[in-house]
Every structure is written in structure tokens, then in C-alpha cells.
Amino acid sequence: MAYFDVASSAPLHPVARQALQASLDEGWADPARLYREGRRAAVLLDAAREAAAEAVGCRPDELVFTPSGTHAVHSGMSGALAGRRRIGRHAVVSAVEHSSVLHAAAAHEAATGGSVTEVPVDRLGAVSPDAYAGALREDTALACLQSANHEVGTEQPVAAVAEACRGRGVPLLVDAAQSLGWGPVEGAWSLLTGSAHKWGGPAGVGLLVVRKGVRFAPRGPADERESGRAPGFQNIPAIVAAVASLRAVRAEAADEAARLRALVDRIRARVPELVPDVEVVGDPDRRLPHLVTFSCLYVDGEALLHELDRAGFSVSSGSSCTSSTLTPSHVLRAMGVLSEGNVRISLPLGTPETEVDAFLEVLPSVVSGVRERLGAPVSAAGSAGGEPSLVVDALGKRCPIPVIELAKVFGDVPVGGTVTVLSDDEAARLDIPAWCEMRGQEYVGERPADHGVAYVVRRLS
């Protein structure tokens, strides 16, 4: 079985396993106690903090360990916003932040009456530093920007945004969960978060860095541990294992980044050649070395993932038809790219070329089989004659059926004719315009319709 989903969670690194087992006998006591067992635990905790700070690029007294990466984001955002409440209640985030950031921003709005500005991204998934700077206001208390996107791998211009924020006196929190295993985050950021299970450490360990001079007011009851920013007894063996694995993957990062980037380049080039009607998304150059995402027209994402799993490949997806909410990924929606049949591949360290070759070998038949079962058209081309306009009723049908129904009849209208798709599936708002762009056709727009929305497409060729 080939595991291609380390962006969700990486397998426990062998060094982490060894460190965890070794520290279980020494790290169980309370590090705040002065007796021998407590001093041993404190030595382990202090050494882990110093090593983590060195890897991040901060002072040891600026870094605390948290119960998870999500906890680090929530406590970092709430503490920074509370510390600067006299400045204002406005926050700025990018439209493609991890859900932990967006949920914390929404909670801030609900609890304080503050406001949040989402900075849009381009079709590659990156923010413009100028647009981000333009979103900063006199009452902006906090800005947030991920170092690299968790769904498409696009790296963000953190250094440029951090410089703009510093010029306005606004602290920038960087969610570095996806990139920290590959290297430190450049730029004059103010706060940073990470999550150990993303780089091969044990789950249940996160880190939060708050630079000296940043106003910060921890939320919740006071606690004497971790500078009051992460209450509760520290899981020292897990912390030691997390830091040991971070140092281990950093030692491999340069060589593995070059090797995995070459494998990802092969996937990016070969998938559109092997499978028709595919859109590879994300920045082809400014990206994480191990991650690639593509979307397939006329494919049910859930069925595609199940078939790939049966073929021996564990991958992830941002398609609405693989989620319980039946709404497309907010990342893909913000980028304006195709969401149906979405596949995210994130390769673990040490992935052999043979596994990538095997994936490329089975993918065409898997996609073809799913399309055939859904009744997808073999080709969208058709005659130049027919009715000048057609209406497709796809109400009650989920992705990718509305786009499949559009493609089936599109050739039946002449050049200049239109097809109107009636749909109540949220994904259609994203996938129909994306289909038009891929096919070189005109997306006219949408209008309200009974029980749904009418999406209008004009044939140009």
C-alpha cells in the first residue's frame, strides 16, 4: 500500500519512535518539582525547547509546546487579538487559510463584534503582497498568513507580507504546519505555529512562538505552565519525540526536497498526458516539494478515492462529494479552479520512484472506470447545428453530474448558442465556470431559479 497523504498526517519517524521510547523512563515526572525525578524531566523539556527554538529560528523563551497545532493557532490568535484590543478588533486573513485559522477568526467576530477581512488569492492560490497590505487598517489587531497551502502546496509571500505588516505595526501570525519540516520561515513574522504530526512526530504536540515585544494576553484561566499559554501537564516524552523528529527531517530536507520535487514534477507533467480533461492546480514553481493536486472533469471524488484505495494508493481530496458538508473546498473555491474529481498527493520522505510510476500506471484506468459508471461523455465535441438554446435540469444531482449533463448536450447547440444548467449543488458555482475555462467556452453567468440556480454557458467553438 502506498501512502500519499502526509499533508494530513505523516507516519511516525523512526527517530521519533526511538526518542519516545527512550524518554518514557525519564520524562514522566513533574518538571516543576525540585526533586531528582522532576529535575530529570525538566532537563528533557528544556533541551527539547532549545532544539525546537533553534529549528524555528527564535529564542527558547519565545516558544511553548501546546496539545496540538490547532490549539496553537487558537491560543495564538486569541492571545494576540486580546493583547491588542485597545488598537482595535479587526483581523486580516487570507482566503485559503487552514480551517483552524478561519474558525478562530469567526469566533473572534462572534465574541467581540470585531471584523475580519479575507484577502483573495489568484488562480495559483497565492495572495498579492500589495493586496494584503491594502487590507491592513488603523484598527487591525492581527494579520494571519500560512507559509504554504495545505491543499495545493502553493507557498505564500510571507517575507513581503511580514514587512508590510511591520511597517504598519501589525503582528503577523504564520501557520507553518505544512512547511516547518522543510525549513524555517523567513521574514519578520511575530507569531508562528506548527504541528508535530505533519513532520513525523507524534500527534498531540504543537508549538506556538510569540516574539518578544508582541502584546499577548492568554485567554482562559491562569496557569503556571508554558508561560500561561498552554495550560496543563506537558507530555514530555511526546514533546521530546516531536523535536527529535523535526531535527531528523530537517537533516534530510535538502536532499529529499530535490528528489521529491522531481517526482512531483513527473506527476504534474504526466497526469494531463495520461488522463484527458484534467486541471493541475497550484503554483508549479513556488510550492512545497512533495505536494501536487489535480482535478478531473466528470468524476465523483469519493468514488475516485475509493478506487485508488482499492488499487493500493492512499490519497486525499478537496472535492465536495468527499465531504460531509457537500460544499467544495474553500481553498479551491477561493482559487476559482475545478473542484470535482480532486486528488491531493503528498509524498512521504523516502517515497520510491516505483510507487509513483505505479500510481501513474493505474490512474488512467481508474478515472476512465469512474467516468464510465457515471455516464460521462467521451468527448465534449458535437455538431454545429441544433437548437440555439437548451436547458439542462440537474436539480437534486450532486457533483459531477451537473457538469456531465452540460457536456453531454453542449455539442447540440450551434456556435453562439447557450446551455442553461439548473442546479442546487454548491459545487456547480465553481465547476461550471471552471469547465468553461478548460474548454475555451464562455461562462455567461448565473441567475436565481426555482429551487436552485441557473448557470448559463455560451458555445464559442
Side-chain angles (χ1 to χ4, degrees), residues 24-80:
L24 285 172
D25 292 333
E26 297 290 335
W28 52 269
D30 188 343
R33 303 305 172 209
L34 298 179
Y35 42 70
R36 179 174 50 196
E37 294 85 355
R39 293 197 303 272
R40 288 175 180 171
V43 167
L44 288 177
L45 183 59
D46 290 344
R49 197 183 312 278
E50 290 179 5
E54 181 181 5
V56 171
C58 66
R59 292 170 35 162
D61 59 351
E62 294 175 329
L63 185 148
V64 299
F65 295 105
T66 66
S68 69
T70 295
H71 186 282
V73 167
H74 289 175
S75 59
M77 289 182 64
S78 63

Side-chain angles (χ1 to χ4, degrees), residues 235-452:
N235 185 345
I236 295 177
I239 289 172
V240 170
V243 177
S245 62
L246 178 58
R247 297 184 67 179
V249 298
R250 283 287 188 84
E252 307 172 68
D255 291 340
E256 276 297 278
R259 196 181 67 84
L260 293 180
R261 185 175 290 274
L263 293 179
V264 166
D265 284 341
R266 184 184 306 177
I267 296 172
R268 292 183 67 93
R270 291 291 290 151
V271 167
E273 295 173 352
L274 296 169
V275 182
D277 299 316
V278 165
E279 180 179 18
V280 180
V281 301
D283 197 301
D285 302 312
R286 290 182 52 84
R287 59 174 174 80
L288 294 171
H290 68 303
L291 195 153
V292 57
T293 299
F294 56 88
S295 299
C296 306
L297 271 175
Y298 319 132
V299 170
D300 180 330
E302 184 173 3
L304 181 56
L305 264 58
H306 282 317
E307 291 303 313
L308 287 172
D309 182 50
R310 290 178 60 183
F313 297 94
S314 301
V315 300
S316 185
S317 174
S319 291
S320 61
C321 35
T322 63
S323 68
S324 59
T325 61
L326 293 179
T327 58
S329 149
H330 72 278
V331 172
L332 301 178
R333 185 170 64 245
M335 294 169 63
V337 297
L338 184 69
S339 73
E340 65 185 55
N342 180 261
V343 175
R344 181 186 70 181
I345 297 170
S346 46
L347 305 176
L349 299 178
T351 299
E353 292 184 30
T354 53
E355 287 188 355
V356 171
D357 290 339
F359 174 80
L360 293 173
E361 184 176 348
V362 306
L363 181 66
S365 61
V366 169
V367 174
S368 177
V370 174
R371 285 173 171 167
E372 185 177 355
R373 288 198 299 274
L374 290 171
V378 176
S379 171
S383 64
E387 297 295 327
S389 64
L390 292 174
V391 176
V392 173
D393 185 352
L395 294 170
K397 299 175 181 178
R398 300 300 177 189
C399 76
I401 301 303
V403 176
I404 289 177
E405 295 301 319
L406 165 64
K408 282 181 177 179
V409 305
F410 197 71
D412 295 337
V413 299
V415 173
T418 62
V419 175
T420 299
V421 182
L422 304 178
S423 176
D424 53 2
D425 181 11
E426 179 66 23
R429 179 169 282 112
L430 183 62
D431 291 344
I432 291 177
W435 181 90
C436 292
E437 179 156 336
M438 293 176 70
R439 289 296 187 183
Q441 308 300 337
E442 180 186 356
Y443 177 62
V444 177
E446 66 177 68
R447 63 174 185 267
D450 291 342
H451 310 297

